């Protein structure tokens, strides 16, 4: 158990809908990362938050947004969903924001299916 | 865009054999990490090697790093069926090290 909790584990929705994925980082970790994993694109970095503030942005679509709350949990909001958004979404955490010698701890992911 | 690219994409071996996976990357790094993913599950950190290190060991894992060639290799010795998983390298070159960028991974199948 990595200590990172993601809910829900599975989500099935329709095109055009909006969903929210939730992540609770390991106790004491200030950074939360969101990744999207699909067969064709591999593991894509979406966005990072550190202690409530956006720290780095990757290949995140404008239809997607995220935030980190004062209790450090994070939510990834996906709107106007398309079939191509179907993927496994991972949250990962680590203690620091820019420490390059730290490993990431991954949650078990949310499998999103857009029908 | 992918920073690290693993090679081969897929590898099938017998139990007891060694498995070698390679990773190439494009820009300078501070460190390189290897992760493992069992089917559909979260990634688990295996080992980290810093840019000033050339080789590192952890149990049956051996990682090498050649910064002049911008490449790394992961060797798993005496493979077991339980080693069946996907293996990813990750580099920290993005946004001054704030984010790890992963390659597409090598899928390893170890048959008994």
């Amino acid at each position: 158990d990595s200590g990172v909790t993601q809910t829900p584990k599975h989500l099935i929705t329709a095109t055009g809908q909006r969903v929210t994925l939730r992540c609770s980082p390991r106790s004491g970790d200030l950074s939360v990362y969101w990744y999207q994993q699909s067969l064709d694109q591999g593991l894509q970095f979406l966005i990072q938050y550190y202690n409530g503030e956006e720290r780095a942005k990757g290949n995140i679509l404008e239809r997607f947004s995220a935030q980190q709350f004062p209790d450090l949990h994070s939510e990834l909001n996906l709107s106007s969903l398309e079939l191509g958004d179907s993927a496994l979404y991972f949250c990962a955490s680590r203690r620091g924001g820019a420490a390059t010698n730290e490993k990431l701890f991954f949650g078990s992911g949310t499998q999103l299916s857009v029908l | 865009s992918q920073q690290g690219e693993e090679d081969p994409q897929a590898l099938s071996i017998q139990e007891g054999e060694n498995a070698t996976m390679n990773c190439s990357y494009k820009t300078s790094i501070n460190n390189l990490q290897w992760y493992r993913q069992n089917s559909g599950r979260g990634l688990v950190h295996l080992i980290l090697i810093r840019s000033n290190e050339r080789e590192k060991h952890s149990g049956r894992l051996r990682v090498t790093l050649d910064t002049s060639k911008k490449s790394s290799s992961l060797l798993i010795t005496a493979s077991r069926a339980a080693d069946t998983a996907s293996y990813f390298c990750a580099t920290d070159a993005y946004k001054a090290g704030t984010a790890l960028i992963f390659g597409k991974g090598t899928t390893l199948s170890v048959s008994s």
Side-chain angles (χ1 to χ4, degrees):
Chain A
D1 182 13
S2 67
V4 179
T5 303
Q6 286 189 251
T7 57
K9 291 192 183 307
H10 303 276
L11 201 48
I12 301 174
T13 188
T15 55
Q17 294 298 304
R18 171 189 169 95
V19 297
T20 297
L21 312 184
R22 183 188 168 101
C23 169
S24 293
R26 280 191 330 152
S27 177
D29 284 359
L30 300 177
S31 273
V32 169
Y33 296 78
W34 287 98
Y35 287 87
Q36 178 194 58
Q37 186 176 36
S38 60
L39 284 175
D40 55 342
Q41 294 293 321
L43 197 63
Q44 296 281 322
F45 165 64
L46 297 179
I47 197 164
Q48 178 213 2
Y49 277 82
Y50 174 73
N51 203 20
E53 294 188 2
E54 182 183 303
R55 180 61 69 95
K57 216 172 213 183
N59 300 325
I60 189 166
L61 300 173
E62 286 191 10
R63 300 183 286 109
F64 295 1
S65 65
Q67 54 184 326
Q68 186 179 27
F69 295 86
D71 67 352
L72 301 176
H73 91 271
S74 178
E75 292 180 357
L76 178 66
N77 300 297
L78 315 176
S79 61
S80 303
L81 285 168
E82 302 174 359
L83 296 177
D85 297 327
S86 295
L88 191 49
Y89 290 84
F90 285 109
C91 166
S93 73
R94 65 180 177 184
R95 197 162 305 269
T100 61
N101 59 347
E102 288 187 45
K103 60 186 178 183
L104 290 180
F105 293 86
F106 279 79
S108 56
T110 293
Q111 180 67 58
L112 174 66
S113 298
V114 182
L115 306 178
Chain B
S1 63
Q2 304 296 129
Q3 163 72 332
E5 295 291 338
E6 290 88 345
D7 171 61
Q9 291 187 354
L11 182 60
S12 293
I13 60 174
Q14 298 285 323
E15 265 192 329
E17 294 181 339
N18 295 341
T20 299
M21 289 157 266
N22 304 297
C23 167
S24 60
Y25 56 91
K26 298 173 185 174
T27 60
S28 296
I29 60 172
N30 295 301
N31 68 61
L32 184 143
Q33 303 185 30
W34 285 90
Y35 287 77
R36 164 191 169 130
Q37 181 183 33
N38 284 22
S39 181
R41 297 191 154 207
L43 281 73
V44 176
H45 180 265
L46 293 175
I47 197 165
L48 179 153
I49 186 166
R50 302 177 200 279
S51 60
N52 62 354
E53 297 176 314
R54 291 295 167 260
E55 188 170 311
K56 202 161 182 180
H57 296 253
S58 177
R60 293 185 295 114
L61 305 180
R62 181 175 78 107
V63 169
T64 62
L65 180 64
D66 186 336
T67 53
S68 67
K69 295 182 179 178
K70 292 186 172 57
S71 67
S72 173
S73 68
L74 170 67
L75 168 67
I76 303 174
T77 60
S79 296
R80 306 165 182 168
D83 294 327
T84 295
S86 292
Y87 293 82
F88 297 84
C89 68
T91 56
D92 66 345
Y94 189 77
K95 296 284 187 183
T98 56
L100 288 183
I101 303 301
F102 289 81
K104 289 194 174 183
T106 292
T107 298
L108 173 66
S109 296
V110 182
S111 54
S112 53

